[in-house]
Amino acid sequence: MKKRIRQAAILFMAMLSLVSSGCSQTSADKPYKESRFLMDTLIEVTAYGPQAEKGVKEAFSEFERMYALADQYDPNSQISKVNQAAGSSKVAVDADIFAMVEESCQLAEKLEGTFDVSVGPLVELWGIGKKGEYIPSDLELANVLPLVNYKLIEIDKVNHTLFLPKKGMKLDLGGIAKGYAVDKAIAKLQAAGVKSALVNAGGTVRVIGSRPDGKPWRIGVQDPRKPDGVIAKVELAGWDTMETSGDYQRFIMKDNVRYAHIFDPRTGKQPRDMAAVTMIMNNASQGDIFSTALFVLGVERSLVMLKEFPGVEAIFVTLDGKVITSPGLAGKVE
């Protein structure tokens, strides 16, 4: 855990040095900052203005609330209750859990099933970071894959219930909960009257407005092979969200092969083309989904797919270190 905290802190400091460079602060511009370890990552919120402290504390209350609802490792969380009832009964859930599952399934259909919120059995089987160098066999994967299928999830919009029809099915909101919580935190900041802020939740970044000096927020994209390196820089002008998925965030090495925590839910195995995908857009919860899906799809298919989503852009870092951007970022990435 300490290693993950350190890596997240380095990434944020690298980004913060970029967003604040050249900005002379007056007393009115001084930020209120807080950082906490929640949702298995370091979350840092920086806000400006007279209501900054109030907004930041309310933002963290949202992170804590979402964590309590969506933590599949807490047997008392709502998502655990849904998993425990798989194959036996429907479970009424909070509006936020319902919204996350519904949005995940809707986007999964558009993203060719490369993101699947029912991936829980695969996550459990691989146990990246929890089982040492364990690599599941093809037979083990074949036994689990029938349990991974978002199309099987029964979503009752009238009664707000979820039902997993097969015993052993498990929802895992790790690919949406953090981004969704960021969006909720941003809403709290805005409700408090904050006009300038930056939220960083372990690589999911969303901003409010511009920097106190009126310039756009300028964010660095971490080099996936250099924990303290920046491989690209982007000004969030016209966008407010940057979200990265990479094979460097949680992984194991065995026989010089990297096995990351991102799986292709259709095969149960890790994609082998990408090192990282960074989304530039205006929705953190969807950014979480897109970065995972595009990591699985690879550059060529992703560039075709993005034509269907105006305003959604991506920066790809391939395994050999090439940086490729979607057309909408032409001339906007350093």
Side-chain angles (χ1 to χ4, degrees), residues 6 30 54 60 62 72 84 102 106 119-120 123 149 166 173 179 193-194 206 239 241 247 249 271 280 283 292 317 330:
R6 179 177 177 274
K30 289 182 179 178
K54 177 178 183 291
F60 272 110
E62 279 298 278
Q72 71 266 31
Q84 291 161 14
E102 185 176 38
Q106 289 171 349
V119 76
V123 173
N149 187 346
K166 289 186 177 183
L173 300 183
V194 173
R206 189 172 171 191
W239 303 283
T241 299
D247 68 358
Q249 295 167 331
I280 311 295
N283 183 307
T292 301
V317 182

Side-chain angles (χ1 to χ4, degrees), residues 15 19 22 36 51 72 85 89 137 148 154 189 271 307 309:
M15 290 191 293
V19 301
R36 303 182 195 177
Q51 298 300 313
Q72 71 266 31
S89 61
S137 68
V148 180
E154 296 182 15
L189 288 163
K307 294 178 182 179
F309 299 94

Side-chain angles (χ1 to χ4, degrees), residues 164-202:
L164 305 178
K166 289 186 177 183
K167 186 175 178 60
M169 287 186 72
K170 289 185 178 181
L171 299 181
D172 186 323
L173 300 183
I176 186 176
K178 187 175 63 173
Y180 188 90
V182 167
D183 286 342
K184 288 288 184 177
I186 286 288
K188 287 293 185 181
L189 288 163
Q190 291 172 325
V194 173
K195 306 296 184 184
S196 177
L198 185 149
V199 177
N200 176 43

Side-chain angles (χ1 to χ4, degrees), residues 251-280:
F251 65 94
I252 60 172
M253 296 291 295
K254 185 173 183 180
D255 300 327
N256 293 318
V257 177
R258 181 183 299 256
Y259 296 89
H261 72 295
I262 302 173
F263 314 109
D264 184 337
R266 301 166 302 182
T267 66
K269 298 182 179 182
Q270 291 83 356
R272 292 296 174 197
D273 298 326
M274 307 303 305
V277 175
T278 296
M279 304 306 304
I280 311 295

